[in-house]
Amino acid sequence: MTGRVFDSDGSIGSPASFDSILLSRESRVTRQYNLLKRYNLPIISVTTVSPGPIKLTEIYKNVFYVALREINARFNRDGPQVVSQSISYSASGPEAST
């Protein structure tokens, strides 16, 4: 990886409020429930856990993408096939359900 990884303060989003974090969790539960109902298959959930009020930074996005890329590579190589993948961003950080 070359170039600048993050801005001087590392942030690209606004500080996450307690309510926005709870709303993100509720949304994740709903998305995962719908995926289970639709496919009846296991789900892998990828999120970042970060200290402080700013949860969406370039560095956290980079960590998220590396984790997601490795998971996808493993499944593409070893199976089983990924049938759905949902990626979202909010003040509480990046997350994916695969």
Side-chain angles (χ1 to χ4, degrees):
M1 194 178 298
T2 61
R4 223 168 58 181
V5 177
F6 54 93
D7 293 333
S8 60
D9 69 353
S11 65
I12 57 174
S14 56
S17 69
F18 184 69
D19 288 340
S20 70
I21 292 171
L22 290 179
L23 182 61
S24 291
R25 288 180 181 178
E26 294 278 333
S27 297
R28 181 170 53 246
V29 167
T30 300
R31 277 193 312 276
Q32 289 175 352
Y33 173 79
N34 289 334
L35 286 170
L36 281 172
K37 203 165 122 180
R38 181 173 182 185
Y39 296 107
N40 196 31
L41 294 168
I43 295 174
I44 295 174
S45 180
V46 179
T47 62
T48 57
V49 178
S50 53
I54 298 178
K55 308 292 185 185
L56 186 59
T57 67
E58 285 296 327
I59 193 88
Y60 296 146
K61 278 182 72 173
N62 288 339
V63 168
F64 171 78
Y65 277 122
V66 168
L68 198 56
R69 184 183 65 221
E70 292 302 314
I71 288 168
N72 285 330
R74 177 67 52 104
F75 275 94
N76 287 337
R77 187 181 69 228
D78 301 334
Q81 179 182 358
V82 173
V83 296
S84 176
Q85 187 168 73
S86 169
I87 299 172
S88 64
Y89 301 94
S90 69
S92 64
E95 56 185 65
S97 296
T98 300

Coordinates of all heavy atoms in Angstrom, one line a residue:
M1 N 0.8 -1.2 0.0 CA 0.0 0.0 0.0 C 0.9 1.2 0.0 O 1.8 1.3 0.8 CB -0.9 0.0 1.3 CG -2.0 0.9 1.2 SD -3.1 0.8 2.7 CE -3.7 -0.9 2.6
T2 N 0.6 2.2 -0.9 CA 1.4 3.4 -0.9 C 0.5 4.6 -0.7 O -0.7 4.5 -0.8 CB 2.1 3.5 -2.3 OG1 1.0 3.5 -3.3 CG2 3.0 2.3 -2.6
G3 N 1.1 5.7 -0.5 CA 0.3 6.9 -0.4 C -0.1 7.1 1.1 O 0.2 6.4 2.0
R4 N -1.0 8.1 1.2 CA -1.5 8.5 2.5 C -2.6 7.5 2.9 O -3.5 7.2 2.2 CB -2.1 9.9 2.5 CG -1.7 10.7 3.7 CD -2.0 12.1 3.5 NE -3.5 12.3 3.2 CZ -4.0 13.5 2.9 NH1 -3.3 14.5 2.9 NH2 -5.3 13.6 2.7
V5 N -2.5 6.9 4.1 CA -3.5 6.0 4.6 C -4.7 6.7 5.2 O -5.8 6.2 5.1 CB -2.8 5.0 5.6 CG1 -3.8 4.0 6.2 CG2 -1.7 4.2 4.9
F6 N -4.4 7.8 5.9 CA -5.5 8.5 6.6 C -5.2 10.0 6.7 O -4.1 10.4 6.5 CB -5.8 7.9 8.0 CG -4.6 7.9 8.9 CD1 -4.3 8.9 9.7 CD2 -3.8 6.7 8.9 CE1 -3.2 8.8 10.6 CE2 -2.7 6.7 9.7 CZ -2.4 7.7 10.5
D7 N -6.2 10.8 6.9 CA -6.0 12.2 7.0 C -5.3 12.5 8.3 O -5.1 11.7 9.1 CB -7.4 12.9 7.0 CG -8.1 12.8 5.7 OD1 -7.4 12.7 4.7 OD2 -9.3 12.9 5.6
S8 N -4.9 13.8 8.5 CA -4.1 14.1 9.6 C -4.8 13.8 11.0 O -4.1 13.3 11.9 CB -3.8 15.6 9.6 OG -5.0 16.4 9.6
D9 N -6.1 13.9 11.0 CA -6.8 13.5 12.3 C -7.4 12.1 12.1 O -7.9 11.5 13.1 CB -7.9 14.5 12.7 CG -9.1 14.5 11.7 OD1 -9.0 13.8 10.7 OD2 -10.1 15.1 12.0
G10 N -7.2 11.4 11.0 CA -7.6 10.1 10.8 C -9.1 9.9 10.5 O -9.6 8.8 10.3
S11 N -9.9 11.0 10.6 CA -11.3 10.8 10.5 C -11.8 11.1 9.1 O -11.3 11.9 8.4 CB -12.0 11.8 11.5 OG -11.8 13.1 11.2
I12 N -12.9 10.4 8.8 CA -13.7 10.7 7.6 C -15.1 10.8 7.9 O -15.9 11.1 7.1 CB -13.4 9.7 6.5 CG1 -13.8 8.3 6.9 CG2 -12.0 9.7 6.0 CD1 -13.8 7.2 5.9
G13 N -15.5 10.6 9.1 CA -16.9 10.7 9.6 C -17.0 11.5 10.8 O -16.0 12.0 11.3
S14 N -18.2 11.7 11.3 CA -18.4 12.4 12.5 C -18.4 11.5 13.7 O -18.5 10.3 13.5 CB -19.7 13.2 12.4 OG -20.8 12.3 12.1
P15 N -18.3 12.0 14.9 CA -18.3 11.2 16.1 C -19.6 10.4 16.2 O -20.7 10.9 15.8 CB -18.2 12.2 17.2 CG -17.5 13.4 16.6 CD -18.0 13.4 15.2
A16 N -19.5 9.2 16.6 CA -20.7 8.3 16.7 C -21.3 8.5 18.1 O -20.7 8.5 19.1 CB -20.3 6.8 16.6
S17 N -22.6 8.8 18.0 CA -23.3 8.9 19.3 C -23.8 7.5 19.8 O -23.8 6.5 19.0 CB -24.6 9.8 19.1 OG -25.5 9.1 18.3
F18 N -24.1 7.4 21.0 CA -24.5 6.2 21.6 C -25.8 5.7 20.8 O -25.9 4.5 20.5 CB -24.9 6.3 23.1 CG -25.3 5.1 23.7 CD1 -24.4 4.1 24.0 CD2 -26.6 4.9 24.2 CE1 -24.7 2.9 24.6 CE2 -27.0 3.7 24.8 CZ -26.0 2.7 25.0
D19 N -26.7 6.6 20.5 CA -27.9 6.2 19.7 C -27.6 5.7 18.4 O -28.2 4.7 17.9 CB -28.8 7.4 19.6 CG -29.5 7.8 20.9 OD1 -29.6 6.9 21.8 OD2 -30.0 8.9 21.1
S20 N -26.6 6.3 17.7 CA -26.2 5.8 16.3 C -25.6 4.4 16.4 O -25.8 3.6 15.5 CB -25.3 6.8 15.6 OG -24.1 6.9 16.2
I21 N -24.8 4.2 17.4 CA -24.2 2.8 17.6 C -25.3 1.8 17.8 O -25.3 0.7 17.2 CB -23.2 2.8 18.7 CG1 -22.0 3.7 18.3 CG2 -22.8 1.4 19.0 CD1 -21.0 3.9 19.4
L22 N -26.3 2.1 18.7 CA -27.4 1.2 18.9 C -28.2 1.0 17.7 O -28.6 -0.2 17.4 CB -28.3 1.7 20.0 CG -27.7 1.7 21.4 CD1 -28.6 2.2 22.5 CD2 -27.2 0.2 21.8
L23 N -28.5 2.0 16.9 CA -29.2 1.9 15.7 C -28.5 1.1 14.6 O -29.1 0.2 14.0 CB -29.5 3.3 15.1 CG -30.3 3.4 13.8 CD1 -31.7 2.8 14.1 CD2 -30.5 4.8 13.3
S24 N -27.2 1.2 14.6 CA -26.4 0.3 13.7 C -26.5 -1.1 14.0 O -26.6 -2.0 13.2 CB -24.9 0.8 13.7 OG -24.8 2.0 13.1
R25 N -26.5 -1.4 15.3 CA -26.6 -2.8 15.8 C -28.0 -3.3 15.5 O -28.1 -4.5 15.0 CB -26.3 -2.9 17.3 CG -24.9 -2.7 17.7 CD -24.7 -2.8 19.2 NE -23.3 -2.5 19.5 CZ -22.8 -2.5 20.7 NH1 -23.6 -2.7 21.7 NH2 -21.5 -2.3 20.9
E26 N -29.0 -2.5 15.7 CA -30.4 -3.0 15.4 C -30.5 -3.3 13.9 O -31.1 -4.3 13.5 CB -31.4 -1.9 15.8 CG -31.5 -1.7 17.2 CD -32.4 -2.7 17.9 OE1 -33.3 -3.2 17.3 OE2 -32.2 -2.9 19.1
S27 N -29.9 -2.4 13.0 CA -30.0 -2.6 11.6 C -29.2 -3.9 11.2 O -29.7 -4.6 10.3 CB -29.3 -1.4 10.9 OG -30.1 -0.2 11.1
R28 N -28.1 -4.1 11.8 CA -27.3 -5.3 11.5 C -28.1 -6.6 11.9 O -28.1 -7.5 11.1 CB -26.0 -5.3 12.3 CG -25.1 -6.5 12.0 CD -23.7 -6.4 12.5 NE -23.6 -6.0 13.9 CZ -23.1 -4.9 14.4 NH1 -22.6 -4.0 13.6 NH2 -23.0 -4.7 15.7
V29 N -28.7 -6.6 13.0 CA -29.6 -7.7 13.4 C -30.7 -7.9 12.4 O -30.9 -9.1 12.0 CB -30.2 -7.5 14.8 CG1 -31.2 -8.5 15.1 CG2 -29.1 -7.6 15.9
T30 N -31.3 -6.9 11.9 CA -32.4 -7.0 11.0 C -31.9 -7.6 9.6 O -32.5 -8.5 9.1 CB -33.1 -5.7 10.7 OG1 -33.6 -5.2 11.9 CG2 -34.2 -5.8 9.7
R31 N -30.7 -7.0 9.2 CA -30.1 -7.5 7.9 C -29.8 -9.0 8.0 O -30.0 -9.8 7.1 CB -28.9 -6.7 7.5 CG -29.1 -5.4 6.8 CD -27.9 -4.9 6.2 NE -26.7 -4.8 7.1 CZ -26.5 -3.8 8.0 NH1 -27.4 -2.8 8.1 NH2 -25.4 -3.8 8.7
Q32 N -29.2 -9.4 9.2 CA -28.7 -10.8 9.3 C -29.9 -11.7 9.5 O -29.9 -12.8 8.9 CB -27.8 -10.9 10.6 CG -26.5 -10.3 10.3 CD -25.6 -10.3 11.6 OE1 -26.1 -10.6 12.7 NE2 -24.4 -9.9 11.4
Y33 N -31.0 -11.2 10.1 CA -32.2 -12.0 10.2 C -32.8 -12.3 8.8 O -33.2 -13.4 8.5 CB -33.2 -11.3 11.1 CG -34.6 -12.0 11.1 CD1 -34.8 -13.2 11.9 CD2 -35.6 -11.5 10.4 CE1 -36.0 -13.8 11.9 CE2 -36.8 -12.2 10.4 CZ -37.0 -13.3 11.1 OH -38.2 -14.0 11.1
N34 N -32.8 -11.2 8.0 CA -33.4 -11.4 6.7 C -32.5 -12.3 5.8 O -33.0 -13.1 5.0 CB -33.5 -10.0 6.0 CG -34.6 -9.2 6.6 OD1 -35.6 -9.7 7.2 ND2 -34.5 -7.9 6.5
L35 N -31.2 -12.2 6.0 CA -30.3 -13.1 5.3 C -30.5 -14.6 5.7 O -30.6 -15.5 4.8 CB -28.8 -12.8 5.5 CG -28.3 -11.5 4.7 CD1 -26.9 -11.1 5.2 CD2 -28.3 -11.8 3.2
L36 N -30.6 -14.8 7.0 CA -30.9 -16.2 7.5 C -32.2 -16.7 7.0 O -32.3 -17.9 6.6 CB -30.9 -16.2 9.0 CG -29.6 -16.2 9.7 CD1 -29.7 -16.0 11.2 CD2 -28.8 -17.5 9.4
K37 N -33.2 -15.9 7.0 CA -34.6 -16.3 6.5 C -34.5 -16.6 5.0 O -35.1 -17.6 4.6 CB -35.5 -15.1 6.8 CG -37.0 -15.5 6.9 CD -37.7 -14.4 7.5 CE -38.8 -13.9 6.5 NZ -39.6 -12.8 7.1
R38 N -33.8 -15.8 4.2 CA -33.7 -16.0 2.8 C -32.9 -17.2 2.4 O -33.3 -17.9 1.5 CB -33.2 -14.7 2.1 CG -33.1 -14.8 0.6 CD -32.8 -13.5 0.0 NE -32.8 -13.6 -1.4 CZ -32.4 -12.7 -2.2 NH1 -32.0 -11.5 -1.8 NH2 -32.4 -12.9 -3.5
Y39 N -31.7 -17.3 3.0 CA -30.8 -18.3 2.5 C -30.6 -19.6 3.4 O -30.1 -20.6 3.0 CB -29.4 -17.7 2.3 CG -29.3 -16.7 1.2 CD1 -29.2 -15.3 1.6 CD2 -29.4 -17.0 -0.1 CE1 -29.2 -14.4 0.6 CE2 -29.4 -16.1 -1.1 CZ -29.3 -14.7 -0.8 OH -29.3 -13.8 -1.8
N40 N -31.0 -19.4 4.7 CA -30.8 -20.5 5.7 C -29.4 -21.1 5.7 O -29.2 -22.3 5.7 CB -31.9 -21.6 5.4 CG -32.0 -22.5 6.6 OD1 -31.8 -22.1 7.7 ND2 -32.3 -23.8 6.3
L41 N -28.4 -20.2 5.7 CA -27.0 -20.5 5.7 C -26.3 -19.7 6.7 O -26.8 -18.7 7.2 CB -26.4 -20.2 4.3 CG -26.9 -21.0 3.1 CD1 -26.4 -20.4 1.8 CD2 -26.4 -22.5 3.2
P42 N -25.1 -20.2 7.2 CA -24.3 -19.4 8.2 C -24.0 -18.0 7.6 O -23.9 -17.8 6.4 CB -23.1 -20.2 8.4 CG -23.4 -21.6 7.9 CD -24.5 -21.4 6.8
I43 N -23.8 -17.1 8.6 CA -23.4 -15.7 8.2 C -22.1 -15.4 8.9 O -21.9 -15.7 10.0 CB -24.5 -14.7 8.7 CG1 -25.8 -14.9 8.0 CG2 -24.0 -13.3 8.6 CD1 -26.9 -14.1 8.6
I44 N -21.3 -14.7 8.1 CA -20.0 -14.1 8.7 C -20.3 -12.6 8.7 O -20.6 -12.0 7.7 CB -18.8 -14.5 7.9 CG1 -18.5 -16.0 7.9 CG2 -17.6 -13.7 8.4 CD1 -17.4 -16.4 7.0
S45 N -20.1 -12.0 9.9 CA -20.2 -10.6 10.1 C -18.9 -10.0 10.4 O -18.1 -10.5 11.2 CB -21.2 -10.3 11.3 OG -21.3 -8.9 11.4
V46 N -18.5 -9.0 9.6 CA -17.2 -8.3 9.7 C -17.5 -6.9 10.2 O -18.2 -6.1 9.5 CB -16.4 -8.3 8.4 CG1 -15.1 -7.6 8.6 CG2 -16.2 -9.8 7.9
T47 N -16.9 -6.5 11.3 CA -17.0 -5.1 11.8 C -15.7 -4.7 12.3 O -14.8 -5.5 12.6 CB -18.1 -4.9 12.9 OG1 -17.7 -5.7 14.0 CG2 -19.5 -5.3 12.4
T48 N -15.5 -3.4 12.6 CA -14.3 -3.0 13.3 C -14.7 -2.5 14.7 O -15.8 -2.0 14.8 CB -13.6 -1.8 12.6 OG1 -14.6 -0.7 12.4 CG2 -13.1 -2.2 11.2
V49 N -13.9 -2.8 15.6 CA -14.1 -2.3 17.0 C -13.0 -1.3 17.3 O -11.9 -1.6 17.2 CB -14.1 -3.5 18.0 CG1 -14.2 -3.0 19.4 CG2 -15.1 -4.6 17.7
S50 N -13.5 -0.1 17.5 CA -12.5 1.0 17.7 C -12.8 1.9 18.9 O -14.0 2.1 19.2 CB -12.5 1.8 16.4 OG -13.8 2.3 16.1
P51 N -11.8 2.3 19.6 CA -12.0 3.1 20.8 C -12.3 4.6 20.3 O -12.0 5.0 19.2 CB -10.6 3.1 21.5 CG -9.6 2.8 20.4 CD -10.4 1.9 19.4
G52 N -12.9 5.3 21.2 CA -13.1 6.7 20.9 C -14.4 7.0 20.2 O -15.1 6.0 19.7
P53 N -14.7 8.2 20.0 CA -16.0 8.6 19.4 C -16.0 8.5 17.9 O -17.1 8.4 17.3 CB -16.2 10.0 19.9 CG -14.9 10.6 20.1 CD -14.0 9.4 20.5
I54 N -14.9 8.6 17.2 CA -14.9 8.5 15.7 C -14.6 7.1 15.3 O -13.5 6.5 15.6 CB -13.9 9.5 15.2 CG1 -14.3 10.9 15.5 CG2 -13.8 9.4 13.7 CD1 -13.4 12.0 15.1
K55 N -15.6 6.4 14.7 CA -15.5 5.0 14.4 C -15.2 4.7 12.9 O -14.9 3.6 12.5 CB -16.8 4.3 14.7 CG -17.3 4.6 16.1 CD -16.4 3.9 17.1 CE -17.0 4.1 18.5 NZ -16.0 3.5 19.5
L56 N -15.3 5.7 12.1 CA -15.1 5.6 10.6 C -13.9 6.4 10.2 O -14.0 7.6 10.0 CB -16.4 5.9 9.9 CG -16.4 5.7 8.4 CD1 -16.1 4.2 8.1 CD2 -17.7 6.1 7.7
T57 N -12.7 5.8 10.1 CA -11.5 6.5 9.7 C -10.9 5.7 8.5 O -11.3 4.5 8.3 CB -10.5 6.5 10.8 OG1 -10.0 5.2 11.1 CG2 -11.1 7.2 12.1
E58 N -10.0 6.3 7.8 CA -9.4 5.6 6.7 C -8.6 4.3 7.2 O -8.7 3.3 6.5 CB -8.4 6.5 6.0 CG -9.1 7.6 5.1 CD -9.9 6.9 3.9 OE1 -9.4 5.9 3.4 OE2 -10.9 7.5 3.6
I59 N -8.0 4.4 8.3 CA -7.2 3.3 8.8 C -8.2 2.1 9.2 O -8.0 1.0 8.9 CB -6.3 3.6 10.0 CG1 -5.3 2.5 10.3 CG2 -7.1 3.9 11.3 CD1 -4.1 2.6 9.5
Y60 N -9.3 2.4 9.8 CA -10.3 1.4 10.1 C -10.9 0.8 8.8 O -11.2 -0.4 8.8 CB -11.4 1.9 11.0 CG -10.9 2.3 12.4 CD1 -11.5 3.4 13.1 CD2 -9.9 1.7 13.0 CE1 -11.1 3.8 14.3 CE2 -9.4 2.1 14.3 CZ -10.0 3.2 14.9 OH -9.6 3.5 16.1
K61 N -11.2 1.7 7.8 CA -11.7 1.2 6.6 C -10.6 0.2 5.9 O -11.0 -0.8 5.4 CB -12.0 2.3 5.6 CG -13.3 3.0 5.8 CD -13.6 4.1 4.9 CE -13.9 3.5 3.5 NZ -14.3 4.5 2.5
N62 N -9.4 0.6 6.0 CA -8.3 -0.3 5.4 C -8.3 -1.6 6.1 O -8.2 -2.7 5.5 CB -7.0 0.4 5.5 CG -6.8 1.5 4.5 OD1 -7.5 1.6 3.5 ND2 -5.9 2.4 4.8
V63 N -8.4 -1.6 7.5 CA -8.4 -2.9 8.2 C -9.6 -3.7 7.8 O -9.5 -4.9 7.6 CB -8.4 -2.6 9.8 CG1 -8.7 -3.8 10.6 CG2 -7.0 -2.0 10.2
F64 N -10.7 -3.1 7.7 CA -12.0 -3.7 7.3 C -11.8 -4.4 6.0 O -12.2 -5.5 5.8 CB -13.1 -2.7 7.3 CG -14.4 -3.1 6.8 CD1 -15.2 -4.0 7.5 CD2 -14.8 -2.7 5.5 CE1 -16.5 -4.4 7.0 CE2 -16.0 -3.2 5.0 CZ -16.8 -4.0 5.7
Y65 N -11.3 -3.6 5.0 CA -11.2 -4.2 3.6 C -10.2 -5.3 3.6 O -10.4 -6.3 2.9 CB -10.7 -3.1 2.6 CG -11.9 -2.3 2.1 CD1 -11.9 -0.9 2.3 CD2 -13.0 -2.9 1.5 CE1 -13.0 -0.2 1.8 CE2 -14.0 -2.2 1.0 CZ -14.1 -0.8 1.2 OH -15.1 -0.1 0.8
V66 N -9.1 -5.3 4.4 CA -8.1 -6.4 4.4 C -8.8 -7.6 4.9 O -8.7 -8.7 4.4 CB -6.9 -6.0 5.2 CG1 -6.0 -7.2 5.5 CG2 -6.0 -5.0 4.5
A67 N -9.6 -7.5 6.0 CA -10.3 -8.6 6.6 C -11.3 -9.2 5.7 O -11.3 -10.4 5.4 CB -10.9 -8.2 7.9
L68 N -12.0 -8.3 5.0 CA -13.0 -8.8 4.1 C -12.4 -9.5 2.8 O -12.9 -10.5 2.4 CB -13.9 -7.6 3.6 CG -15.2 -7.9 3.0 CD1 -16.1 -8.7 3.9 CD2 -15.9 -6.6 2.7
R69 N -11.3 -8.9 2.4 CA -10.6 -9.5 1.2 C -10.1 -10.9 1.5 O -10.2 -11.8 0.7 CB -9.5 -8.5 0.8 CG -8.7 -9.0 -0.5 CD -7.6 -8.2 -0.8 NE -6.6 -8.3 0.2 CZ -5.9 -7.2 0.7 NH1 -6.1 -6.0 0.2 NH2 -5.0 -7.4 1.6
E70 N -9.5 -11.0 2.7 CA -9.0 -12.3 3.1 C -10.1 -13.4 3.3 O -9.9 -14.5 2.9 CB -8.2 -12.2 4.4 CG -6.9 -11.4 4.3 CD -6.0 -12.1 3.2 OE1 -5.8 -13.3 3.3 OE2 -5.4 -11.3 2.4
I71 N -11.2 -13.0 3.9 CA -12.4 -13.9 4.0 C -12.9 -14.3 2.6 O -13.1 -15.5 2.4 CB -13.5 -13.2 4.8 CG1 -13.1 -13.2 6.3 CG2 -14.8 -14.0 4.7 CD1 -13.9 -12.3 7.2
N72 N -13.0 -13.3 1.7 CA -13.5 -13.7 0.4 C -12.5 -14.5 -0.4 O -12.9 -15.5 -1.1 CB -13.8 -12.4 -0.4 CG -15.0 -11.7 0.0 OD1 -16.0 -12.4 0.5 ND2 -15.1 -10.4 -0.1
A73 N -11.2 -14.3 -0.2 CA -10.2 -15.1 -0.9 C -10.2 -16.5 -0.4 O -10.2 -17.5 -1.1 CB -8.8 -14.5 -0.6
R74 N -10.4 -16.7 0.9 CA -10.5 -18.0 1.5 C -11.7 -18.8 1.0 O -11.6 -20.0 0.6 CB -10.5 -17.9 3.0 CG -10.6 -19.2 3.8 CD -9.4 -20.2 3.7 NE -8.2 -19.5 4.0 CZ -7.5 -19.7 5.1 NH1 -7.9 -20.4 6.0 NH2 -6.4 -19.0 5.3
F75 N -12.8 -18.1 1.0 CA -14.0 -18.8 0.4 C -13.9 -19.1 -1.0 O -14.3 -20.2 -1.5 CB -15.3 -18.0 0.7 CG -15.8 -18.2 2.1 CD1 -15.5 -17.4 3.1 CD2 -16.7 -19.3 2.3 CE1 -16.0 -17.6 4.4 CE2 -17.2 -19.5 3.6 CZ -16.9 -18.7 4.6
N76 N -13.4 -18.2 -1.8 CA -13.2 -18.4 -3.2 C -12.2 -19.6 -3.5 O -12.4 -20.3 -4.5 CB -12.7 -17.2 -4.0 CG -13.7 -16.1 -4.1 OD1 -14.9 -16.4 -4.1 ND2 -13.3 -14.9 -4.2
R77 N -11.2 -19.7 -2.6 CA -10.3 -20.8 -2.8 C -10.8 -22.1 -2.2 O -10.7 -23.2 -2.9 CB -9.0 -20.4 -2.1 CG -7.8 -21.4 -2.3 CD -6.5 -21.1 -1.6 NE -6.8 -21.2 -0.2 CZ -6.4 -20.3 0.8 NH1 -5.9 -19.2 0.4 NH2 -6.7 -20.6 2.0
D78 N -11.3 -22.1 -1.0 CA -11.7 -23.4 -0.4 C -13.2 -23.7 -0.3 O -13.5 -24.8 0.1 CB -11.2 -23.3 1.1 CG -9.7 -23.1 1.2 OD1 -9.0 -23.5 0.3 OD2 -9.2 -22.6 2.2
G79 N -14.0 -22.7 -0.8 CA -15.5 -22.9 -0.7 C -15.9 -22.8 0.7 O -15.1 -22.7 1.6
P80 N -17.1 -22.9 1.1 CA -18.3 -22.9 0.1 C -18.5 -21.5 -0.5 O -17.8 -20.5 -0.1 CB -19.5 -23.2 1.0 CG -19.1 -22.7 2.4 CD -17.6 -22.9 2.4
Q81 N -19.3 -21.5 -1.5 CA -19.6 -20.2 -2.3 C -20.3 -19.2 -1.4 O -21.2 -19.5 -0.7 CB -20.4 -20.6 -3.5 CG -20.8 -19.4 -4.4 CD -21.6 -19.8 -5.5 OE1 -22.0 -20.9 -5.7 NE2 -22.0 -18.8 -6.3
V82 N -19.9 -17.9 -1.6 CA -20.5 -16.8 -1.0 C -21.8 -16.5 -1.8 O -21.6 -16.3 -3.0 CB -19.6 -15.6 -0.9 CG1 -20.4 -14.4 -0.4 CG2 -18.4 -15.9 0.0
V83 N -22.9 -16.5 -1.2 CA -24.2 -16.3 -2.0 C -24.7 -14.9 -1.9 O -25.5 -14.4 -2.7 CB -25.3 -17.3 -1.6 CG1 -24.9 -18.7 -1.9 CG2 -25.7 -17.1 -0.1
S84 N -24.2 -14.1 -0.9 CA -24.7 -12.7 -0.7 C -23.6 -12.0 0.1 O -23.0 -12.6 1.0 CB -26.0 -12.7 0.0 OG -26.4 -11.4 0.3
Q85 N -23.5 -10.7 -0.1 CA -22.6 -9.9 0.7 C -23.1 -8.5 0.7 O -23.5 -7.9 -0.3 CB -21.2 -9.9 0.1 CG -20.2 -9.2 1.0 CD -18.8 -9.4 0.6 OE1 -18.3 -8.9 -0.4 NE2 -18.1 -10.2 1.3
S86 N -23.3 -8.0 1.9 CA -23.8 -6.6 2.2 C -22.8 -5.8 2.9 O -22.3 -6.2 4.0 CB -25.1 -6.7 3.0 OG -25.5 -5.5 3.4
I87 N -22.4 -4.7 2.4 CA -21.4 -3.8 3.0 C -22.1 -2.5 3.3 O -22.8 -1.9 2.4 CB -20.2 -3.6 2.1 CG1 -19.5 -4.9 1.8 CG2 -19.2 -2.6 2.7 CD1 -18.4 -4.8 0.8
S88 N -21.9 -1.9 4.5 CA -22.5 -0.7 4.8 C -21.5 0.2 5.7 O -20.6 -0.4 6.3 CB -23.8 -0.8 5.6 OG -23.6 -1.5 6.8
Y89 N -21.7 1.5 5.7 CA -20.9 2.4 6.4 C -21.9 3.3 7.2 O -22.9 3.7 6.7 CB -20.1 3.3 5.5 CG -19.1 2.5 4.7 CD1 -19.5 2.1 3.4 CD2 -17.9 2.1 5.1 CE1 -18.7 1.4 2.6 CE2 -17.1 1.3 4.4 CZ -17.4 1.0 3.1 OH -16.6 0.2 2.3
S90 N -21.5 3.6 8.4 CA -22.3 4.5 9.3 C -21.3 5.2 10.2 O -20.1 4.8 10.3 CB -23.4 3.8 10.0 OG -22.8 2.9 11.0
A91 N -21.8 6.1 11.0 CA -21.0 6.7 12.0 C -20.4 5.7 13.0 O -19.3 6.0 13.6 CB -21.8 7.8 12.8
S92 N -21.0 4.5 13.1 CA -20.4 3.5 14.0 C -19.4 2.6 13.4 O -18.8 1.8 14.0 CB -21.5 2.6 14.6 OG -22.2 1.9 13.6
G93 N -19.1 2.9 12.1 CA -18.0 2.2 11.4 C -18.5 1.3 10.3 O -19.7 1.1 10.0
P94 N -17.5 0.7 9.5 CA -17.9 -0.2 8.4 C -18.3 -1.6 8.9 O -17.9 -2.0 10.0 CB -16.6 -0.3 7.6 CG -15.5 -0.1 8.6 CD -16.1 0.9 9.7
E95 N -19.2 -2.2 8.2 CA -19.6 -3.6 8.5 C -20.0 -4.3 7.3 O -20.5 -3.7 6.3 CB -20.7 -3.6 9.6 CG -21.9 -2.8 9.3 CD -22.9 -2.8 10.4 OE1 -22.5 -2.3 11.5 OE2 -24.0 -3.4 10.3
A96 N -19.9 -5.6 7.3 CA -20.3 -6.5 6.2 C -20.9 -7.7 6.7 O -20.5 -8.2 7.8 CB -19.1 -6.8 5.3
S97 N -21.9 -8.2 6.0 CA -22.5 -9.5 6.3 C -22.3 -10.4 5.0 O -22.7 -9.9 4.0 CB -24.0 -9.4 6.7 OG -24.1 -8.7 7.9
T98 N -21.7 -11.5 5.2 CA -21.4 -12.4 4.1 C -22.1 -13.7 4.3 O -22.1 -14.2 5.4 CB -19.9 -12.6 3.9 OG1 -19.3 -11.3 3.7 CG2 -19.6 -13.5 2.7

